[in-house]
Amino acid sequence: MDERIKNFILSQKLLNLSMLDEDGGVYCASCYYAFDSQNLALIFASEERTKHVQLAHKAPKVAVNIASDTDIINLIKGVQIKALFQKATKEQEKIYYEKFPFAKLAKACVFALNIQWAKYTDNKILLSKKLEFFI
């Protein structure tokens, strides 16, 4: 994966996770995440009973969007991702809790979104060109 994509993912902390719902539509949830740059996985914690976790268990191919927070069009950065949802490894749990130690107080499970494809936009540098990554 291009270092510019990795650096952008590392610079952020909130993702929007989208998955199929029961009616063939889509459902979204926002989650704080940590990045496992070695294994190219986004790690988040959530309770097992939440709708987004239940839906992701049923259909583990999910979509993710991470975007910078700006109103200035030439400063917009973002990445669109296709990922595979699964339970996080012990090492990934450690990565998550290092970034969000307060999360240990919650009754949540830790999950990983293994990146299969990513498209990165950086309007300042790349203008209309996008960087893509494939597994």
Side-chain angles (χ1 to χ4, degrees):
M1 179 181 282
D2 189 289
E3 288 301 313
R4 290 173 285 187
I5 301 173
K6 285 183 179 181
N7 289 337
F8 174 74
I9 293 171
L10 282 166
S11 76
Q12 302 297 306
K13 63 182 176 207
L14 186 65
L15 62 78
N16 186 346
L17 175 62
S18 300
M19 66 286 312
L20 294 174
D21 71 12
E22 304 91 351
D23 302 324
V26 291
Y27 183 82
C28 297
S30 295
C31 305
Y32 287 102
Y33 73 90
F35 183 44
D36 176 357
S37 59
Q38 189 107 14
N39 296 299
L40 302 179
L42 304 166
I43 309 156
F44 72 98
S46 190
E47 291 186 20
E48 189 73 46
R49 63 177 172 74
T50 60
K51 184 170 183 171
H52 59 281
V53 169
Q54 292 298 309
L55 292 172
H57 276 303
K58 290 178 187 173
K61 291 181 181 179
V62 300
V64 175
N65 181 59
I66 302 169
S68 59
D69 184 20
T70 184
D71 292 332
I72 303 169
I73 197 157
N74 68 325
L75 297 181
I76 293 172
K77 294 180 185 181
V79 64
Q80 297 162 294
I81 295 170
K82 293 179 185 179
L84 190 60
F85 170 87
Q86 66 183 48
K87 184 109 171 83
T89 66
K90 291 293 181 193
E91 184 59 35
Q92 289 171 330
E93 286 183 18
K94 183 178 173 188
I95 292 168
Y96 184 81
Y97 289 129
E98 282 177 3
K99 186 166 183 175
F100 302 108
F102 58 87
K104 288 182 183 180
L105 302 173
K107 294 180 177 156
C109 297
V110 182
F111 301 97
L113 302 168
N114 297 306
I115 298 171
Q116 307 295 302
W117 172 87
K119 182 172 74 171
Y120 176 63
T121 300
D122 181 341
N123 283 356
K124 187 174 184 179
I125 298 170
L126 301 170
L127 298 174
S128 62
K129 185 181 176 197
K130 313 291 185 197
L131 289 178
E132 285 192 69
F133 164 79
F134 301 89
I135 288 280

